[in-house]
Each structure stands twice: as structure tokens, then as C-alpha cells.
Amino acid sequence: MTSKEIREAFLAFFKNKSHQIVPSAPVVVKNDPTLMFTNAGMNQFKDLFLGEAQAKYSRVADTQRCLRVSGKHNDLEEVGIDTYHHTLFEMLGNWSFGDYFKKEAIAWAWELMTEVYKLDKDRLYVTIFEGDEKEGLARDMEAFDFWKALIAEDRILLGNKKDNFWEMGETGPCGPCSEIHYDMRPDAERQQVGGHELVNADHEQVIEIWNLVFMQFNRLKNGSLETLPAQNVDTGMGFERLVRAIQGKTSNYDTDVFQPMIQFIAEKSGIVYGADVKTDVAMRVLVDHIRAVSFAIADGQLPSNNKAGYVIRRILRRAVRYAYTFLGFKTPFFNELVPLLSAQFAGVFDELSQQESFVQKVVLEEEVSFLRTLTTGIQRFENYVADHAQVDGDFAFELFDTYGFPIDLTDLLSREKGLSVDMEGFQKALQAQKERSRAATAIDTGDWVLVQEDEETEFVGYDYLEATTQIVKYRKVTAKGKEQYQLVLSVTPFYPEGGGQVGDTGVLVSEANEKVYITDTKKENGLIVHFVNQLPPVLEGDFKATVNKDKRIDTENNHSATHLLHAALKQVLGDHVNQKGSMVSPEVLRFDVSHFAKITYDEIKQVEDIVNARIRANIALKEERQVPYQQAIDSGVTALFGEKYGDYVRVITFDDAFSKELCGGTHVSSTSQIGFFKITSESAVAAGVRRIEAITGTHAYAVIREQFELVDKLRELMNNPKDFVSSIGKLIEDNSDLRKAVENSIRERSLALMSDLTSKVENINGVNFLAVEVDLPNADAVKTLTYALKGAVENVFIVIGADFDGKPSLTVAISDELAKEKGWNAGAIVKDLAKDIQGGGGGQPFFATAGGKLSAGLVKAIARAKDFVN
Ligand code: SER
């Protein structure tokens, strides 16, 4: 079977068992503060397990793109070195939400493995959870019994909590699991050592393929386990490993998932895959990392300097580093893998093929800038090793952190120079950095405290800004030392931050008229949480929840204007323009789009014209809340990449022929409410991404008024000329002419002093000496004079004093020969003389200046100058 057939067979198998096949969620996670990237197929169903949302289908299956490069599940350092870990991998999964449980999950897994995929029963092993006394959990005898009906008892192995109790993260859904392992070793080896000895022992050829988790618990912050409302199944099968098992390969990278790209690299580098360990590792790193990088970008996460963006940048740099050092690619190459990958995933994850050129461009730009950094890094390394006997840990860390050198590379480079690296020191520095970034972002979230049982929650904010409500539960959160509380309300008019729109703020008033202010509203998976600085004194009973209306209206203006802007940009710039980021607050809207050139002033004007015309056309909002997803897409609606949509979507339309978007935000009821739209800036945020900032409504009005006032004031200052612009132009021109004239006249004055001063030169011991105070207005003029004197008189030592509007200055010039022969130093002399004017200065041996505070001291300084000649 090809990998494509293997994937299709999985989905068909579970479809046949009444599962709904759903799309993969984006790999970049937005609504869960405990996760950066999707790390398991079950992430998108977290709130279904927790009972925070109702499952639409009780059985689903899919292939989910996952990324295990941060947090609890992190395989990055293994990738490329071994043959079965990946950054981005596909997880095939089937789920039951309170429907079937262990029996079916186990039976179907076995059926698929042995009858559809026809894997060798003799090579299969399974594990079950052995129990854990501390957790108070018994051995999973149920799973054991179901397996026993299918497989010889000696192939059912016990696993401990680490291997057989799966948890999503620090907190969240979890449960005992049962894994399926496959032994791919040759028969001779298998006869010597039984596969059951190698299960879960990090053996490259005896690997876990499928994990069946029986989700029954929620791990709380306090470490305890809470029983979930229903018994669920969450299975995850490593697609690339499965393909390897079915295709009978000894490495994931030898399958048709990776070989086409590996062969492409081999051809381009002229290096055969399999020829050498180092180049093999490098090729594996490249073909693996391009997947993580490309899908993260396609799902909306651009490489950057912090958080998820930094993780992606680091993965990209790791790949470029390997390409550069081991495969000889000194110019950008990594990006050339994007089209191959995009073709491979067309029809599976179309997000990439639809944005292929954008993704490739972003990767290319990153490569170009990193290759520049790399050259600097190598230079740093060369300089460093020139005078060090060992590479210390801090320096290795600098190379790692600033220049993206993996530690194994620094080690290799150092060994080539006959040096060793202080690995312990490096680990320490790395640990310290991890600690710093953890402390900077650490959020301590307490467990929920229920105020009332079984309360459904409802969002009414599309229709109301006020509601009578009750507190369902609350918890404490501490971030950066600041304590806050989060509340969940039974009914809420508060819009939670999402789709770029900021969360509502407002107030909660109890029946006893006690108020607490809601400072922000966010969404966590399916749950709407309201932030308050303190809890209401009494938590029970009714509250009136009221949204800050002015802010909401301003925000709506900006959100609807964003839709008009998006449509106008597509009209003016072309259809390649895709939303890459959006921020809608009451004050301003910020909109990022994929576009490869600066948006010209002319294009900006066209966009503004279109948007303002649409505002004046007073187009009524058409809001449809429950449109089947496919129907919406077929009607030509604009959907966003990296967004997870349900089966039913909300469609926001302003004129069917103009703007139609999938959107969960709040909007104006007709466009005239926006009042006016003005773009205030256009800039670059990343390769191929432009940012537009704009204002609307009352804020635009205030800015326009300010601008008018400013211009009025300027006009007044200019005596209200008819043609303001040309008057200013003239003013600037006159000013520059006058400046030139003044400079000329000063220069003339200083030169006029020349003949007078040359006559004052005294010859002392063969040195032509002159010390005098002159009346010149600035340092330039004195400099001109001093240089002229120095040029005109041989063997000269000059000290000139001057007073510039109360600021005394001294200038010392010495003929070059004198400075050289006698070792006189104008800088040292001026420093000494400057004491008399309470100042300091310096310069070169033949010319130096000083400024001071005491003009009266000039006389003394000039008198003292003679001492130096004597
Ligand atoms: N959540 C489990 C895993 O990731 C099974 O899907 O292994």
C-alpha cells in the first residue's frame, strides 16, 4: 500500500463503523493557554472530554497534524538522529465521546491492524496499564480481558504510569492506555531476543504504533484526578510509523512519505542518501523540519522572536544549519522543498497547496537572513577559538541561542580545532534560559471552584449588551505576581477575545448592588471566562452583567471596517491577498495581509475610497448564524487559514457581491455607523506580509479634528498665506540661503583676522607661538581660522580662546613636525589649560579643543599657554 492508500483505508474503516470523518485542526493552537501547538489528535476535542461542550457526533475519526516540539511532549532533539521521531507528524485517530469504550476500541484496532493492514500477528505486542498505588488506580483488567480474546496472553505486557497513563499536559483530560507495538527486526534477531523484552525500551525496530487511551479523568492543578462526566475513547496512531511497518522498512524515512524529498536533496547536493551517517542525519532533519515549518506558517504562525514564532524560527534554523554544514548548501535551499511538500499534501491538508508561494517566500526570506547571521556566527567562533583553550558553556550557548548552532555542531567544529566544549556549562546556561522564559510567562492557574452544579452556559452577546446571570464557577490565576479571578457565567453578553477582536469589558452588579468590574473576556476552548480583580462578596444569586457599550460600539465599527478593508484590498491588489493577522480594538484596527510589495500610496487611496463609499452606501448587515460549512464555502465566503471551523458557521455579509466572511465577531447593523475610515500607516511585518493600521468612527473624527487644528495653527504662524504649501517651501528655501550666507560671512570674518594674528606670532626658542582670544561666533569659525594659521605659519604652536554666547572654548593646534619631533600633544595641553575655564576636552596630538563653563578663566588659560613653550 502507498502511504496515501494507508491513510484512506484508516478513514474508510472508521467511516464504516459509523464515525464522522472530520478535518484536522490547525497545528497552531489559539484558544488554549496550556498549549502552543497541537500535540495530539485529541486537543481539538478537549472541551468535549471535559464536558464543557456537547459533542455533535459521538464517534469521529481523522488525521491530525501534530507538532511535538515544546511543553510536555517534545521530541525535537531526537529528530533526524533516530528514524522514528518527528517534529510534525500525522496522527490517525478515532474517538468516542461517551459512546463505545474499551471493548470496541480494542477489537477494531486489532481488526484494522491484522485484517485491513495485514500486519504480522507474530510481530505485534500490546500493553495495558499495570495500575498505580499512589494514584489509587487499579490494573486495567478490563483491557486485559478484551485483549486476551484476540491475542496470546504472553503478548500482553504490563506498562507503568509513564508509558500507560496518557496525559495531555500538566492538567487536562487523561486516562489509562493500551498501546500496540510492532517488532520489525529480522527473524534471526527475533529468535535470539524476544520482542516482549524490547517493548518500550527505545529500540529503533520495536516501536509503538498506536495508543488507545481510555479517557476517564481530568488531572487538576492540585494533582488529583477528577472523574470525567463520561467514558471516552481517544486513540492516536503515528501515521509515518504505520506506513513504515506496512511497507516493511526499517526507518520512517525510507517510506514514500519522505523518500521523494530525500531523493530530491540527494540529487541537488550530489550526496547519496545512505552513504554517511552525518549526511543522512542532515537529510532527515531537512525533510522532517520542512513539514513543521511549512504547516506552522500555513496555519498562521510566522517565524518570529518570541513564543510559538520563535520555536518555528529555531526549527527552521536547525534545518538550515544542517544543510549548510553537512550538505554543502551555502545559499538558500531549504525553501525549495515547499513545492514538493505542498504537492504531497494536496487533497489531505490543502492549507499548504493553497498558500504554496507565500509559504515558500517566507521560508526563503528567513533563510537569507539566517545565512547572514550564520556567517557572523562562524566568524565569532573563529575569533573565539583563536585565543581559547576550551569552548566554555556560555559561549556555546551564545552560538546556540543567537546564531542557531545546535550543540552537536559546536562540538563538531570545536573538535576539528582540537578543542572540547564544556557541555555541563552549556546545559546550565540552557537551563537558566528555560527558567527565565518560564518565569516570564508563568501563569499559575488554580482549579475551578463550582458555585452551582450542572449549569449550562450561554452567550447572548450578539443580541444583548445586558443580561441577568449567575456565577457558575470561578478560579484564581496569578500571572507575573498579579492575582486575578476568572468567572464563568450562566448567561453572558460579554464577547470573548477572538477572531482578532478584543474581549469585552464591563460590570457585574449583584442584587445587593455590589459591583465588580470585568476587565477582560477570553475564550478557553469552548468556555467563556471573565476576568475580575476581586470576587463579589456573595457569589450566589442573580447578577446583572452589562457590557461597556461605547467600547463595544467603537470595536464593532473597527471590526466591520476590517471586513470592508479586506474586500477592498482583494479588489485593488488581487486575490492572492489573504488575512495573516487581525487586531480589532475600540481605538484602532490592525490588519496583516500576504502581499509581496509595499502597498503604494495610490493603492492606499483606492482602498480608502472603496471602503468609504461602502460606508456611505449604508449597507445593512446580513448575519447568518447556522450555515452548514460547505454551503458557506460554496457560496464564495472568505475563510481564514489556521482557523478551526465547525460544521455550522456564522457568515457576516455586507452586500453579497462585496464582503462575505466567516466570522464570530460583533458587527455594526449597517455600515453608515462606521462613519469614516482612514488608513494611518502601512508597513512590513515579515517577509511577504504587510500591515495596515486604520481608524474609524469617533477615533477617526478626533484625529481629523486634531489634524485640522494643527494645520490651522501652522497657517496662522505663517500669516495665513494663500498657498500654504508653496509658502512653506519658500520658507525652507530662504532659510537655507540665509544659513549659507551667514556661514560665508563668518568664514570671511575669521580669515580677515589672519593678517592681524600672523603679525602677533612670537618666536620663542625656534617655535612660532601665538596665544590669543578672538571674537568669533562658533566652533566652526574658530576651526577654520586655526587651520588657516597652522597652514600659513611653520613650526607653530597656537592657542585660541573664544567665548560663544557665554560658553568659553579653547583650541590648540601644533605643527605636525613639532608634535612628532618634540612629542607635544595638543590633546594633553588643551586638557590642562581647560582647568582654567572649568572644562575638559581632548583631540589629537596636532589639534584639540575644549569647552568649559567659566568664561572669565580664558585670560588665565591664554597667559599660561606660554609656559608650555618655555
Ligand atoms: N492522545 C493520545 C496520544 O497522543 C492518543 O491519541 O498518544
Side-chain angles (χ1 to χ4, degrees), residues 39-42 68 91 95 166 208 211 213 215 234-236:
N39 68 8
M42 52 71 65
R68 291 193 167 172
M91 191 184 275
W95 287 272
W166 197 85
E208 176 199 343
N211 186 12
V213 185
M215 289 287 190
D234 154 36
T235 88

Side-chain angles (χ1 to χ4, degrees), residues 402-671:
T402 314
Y403 301 102
F405 286 33
I407 188 63
D408 46 351
L409 179 90
T410 304
D411 190 39
L412 187 89
L413 291 175
S414 307
R415 267 189 278 130
E416 280 169 10
K417 302 269 176 195
L419 303 181
S420 67
V421 180
D422 171 14
M423 286 295 184
E424 219 170 277
F426 171 78
Q427 289 304 341
K428 241 195 196 151
L430 187 67
Q431 214 44 51
Q433 189 215 37
K434 279 193 183 151
E435 202 41 53
R436 277 196 303 277
S437 70
R438 202 197 56 77
T441 55
I443 300 175
D444 191 35
T445 310
D447 290 322
W448 287 113
V449 181
L450 277 191
V451 178
Q452 45 184 307
E453 291 285 339
D454 291 336
E455 186 62 53
E456 297 264 313
T457 63
E458 191 190 358
F459 172 67
V460 297
Y462 291 142
D463 304 305
Y464 304 100
L465 293 180
E466 234 177 56
T468 301
T469 188
Q470 293 177 338
I471 298 175
V472 176
K473 56 183 175 179
Y474 71 90
R475 70 179 175 191
K476 192 166 161 183
V477 270
T478 314
K480 291 185 187 155
K482 193 176 150 216
E483 266 183 19
Q484 275 183 308
Y485 291 88
Q486 296 177 338
L487 308 178
V488 171
L489 303 177
S490 59
V491 181
T492 181
F494 282 75
Y495 178 80
E497 180 182 317
Q501 180 176 334
V502 300
D504 278 334
T505 61
V507 65
L508 205 57
V509 185
S510 74
E511 281 171 315
N513 210 24
E514 276 153 338
K515 285 184 186 168
V516 290
Y517 290 94
I518 293 175
T519 57
D520 201 358
T521 312
K522 287 190 198 253
K523 205 166 182 175
E524 246 191 70
N525 298 298
L527 211 59
I528 298 177
V529 295
H530 306 77
F531 288 74
V532 292
N533 289 331
Q534 74 225 41
L535 288 175
V538 180
L539 293 159
E540 294 77 16
D542 283 352
F543 288 84
K544 201 164 105 189
T546 311
V547 171
N548 181 327
K549 188 174 166 192
D550 290 346
K551 272 189 165 177
R552 167 71 90 82
I553 288 177
D554 286 348
T555 309
E556 280 177 4
N557 289 343
N558 281 337
H559 201 155
S560 300
T562 300
H563 284 209
L564 303 183
L565 168 66
H566 194 180
L569 283 167
K570 279 190 193 282
Q571 264 188 21
V572 174
L573 302 176
D575 253 348
H576 63 280
V577 164
N578 276 311
Q579 175 170 338
K580 285 291 155 212
S582 170
M583 196 284 295
V584 179
S585 74
E587 295 81 22
V588 64
L589 68 93
R590 207 170 64 203
F591 194 62
D592 298 342
V593 286
S594 49
H595 183 60
F596 293 142
K598 184 170 171 56
I599 306 176
T600 65
Y601 185 55
D602 211 49
E603 288 163 339
I604 295 270
K605 279 200 295 189
Q606 287 179 49
V607 168
E608 285 179 344
D609 285 349
I610 294 172
V611 174
N612 280 303
R614 295 289 156 165
I615 290 172
R616 289 190 301 271
N618 194 18
I619 305 163
L621 161 73
K622 186 162 102 191
E623 182 210 13
E624 296 158 286
R625 292 194 188 163
Q626 286 288 318
V627 186
Y629 176 76
Q630 202 49 48
Q631 184 185 321
I633 294 296
D634 294 344
S635 77
V637 79
T638 304
L640 302 184
F641 294 108
E643 212 54 58
K644 183 183 136 211
Y645 296 109
D647 300 322
Y648 290 88
V649 289
R650 185 162 171 264
V651 179
I652 295 295
T653 307
F654 290 106
D655 179 351
D656 276 296
F658 186 66
S659 162
K660 225 173 156 102
E661 289 198 28
L662 296 188
C663 179
T666 66
H667 286 275
V668 300
S669 53
S670 72
T671 58

Side-chain angles (χ1 to χ4, degrees), residues 71-223:
K72 179 168 162 63
H73 300 277
N74 186 350
D75 297 330
L76 182 60
E77 293 308 319
E78 266 80 53
V79 174
I81 314 285
D82 74 17
T83 56
Y84 62 109
H85 281 97
H86 300 289
T87 53
L88 183 129
F89 63 99
E90 279 181 72
M91 191 184 275
L92 302 171
N94 58 291
W95 287 272
S96 150
F97 306 114
D99 187 331
Y100 61 86
F101 201 42
K102 296 180 188 178
K103 181 170 184 219
E104 294 82 348
I106 287 172
W108 290 339
W110 188 250
E111 184 187 337
L112 181 64
M113 283 302 191
T114 57
E115 283 168 37
V116 178
Y117 292 139
K118 304 210 174 347
L119 286 177
D120 185 353
K121 286 183 191 168
D122 200 34
R123 291 172 180 270
L124 284 165
Y125 294 88
V126 301
T127 61
I128 61 143
F129 180 48
E130 66 183 7
D132 190 283
E133 217 170 293
K134 263 205 226 121
E135 299 272 11
L137 296 168
R139 177 167 301 178
D140 191 352
M141 287 314 290
E142 249 183 321
F144 180 82
D145 289 338
F146 292 129
W147 277 120
K148 215 172 69 178
L150 302 165
I151 186 171
E153 208 173 311
D154 63 355
R155 293 186 167 265
I156 309 173
L157 311 172
L158 295 179
N160 59 18
K161 192 176 127 189
K162 180 180 143 282
D163 290 321
N164 280 70
F165 192 87
W166 197 85
E167 311 200 31
M168 181 183 136
E170 287 297 313
T171 59
C174 54
C177 60
S178 191
E179 297 173 345
I180 301 178
H181 293 250
Y182 200 59
D183 182 354
M184 290 177 230
R185 293 172 304 150
D187 290 340
E189 268 183 51
R190 290 200 296 138
Q191 264 143 32
Q192 272 172 9
V193 183
H196 55 276
E197 284 180 41
L198 300 174
V199 165
N200 275 332
D202 288 331
H203 192 288
E204 290 232 348
Q205 302 303 330
V206 186
I207 57 174
E208 176 199 343
I209 292 183
W210 202 349
N211 186 12
L212 317 177
V213 185
F214 311 117
M215 289 287 190
Q216 284 165 280
F217 304 106
N218 180 21
R219 173 78 68 190
L220 297 181
K221 173 78 188 170
N222 65 21

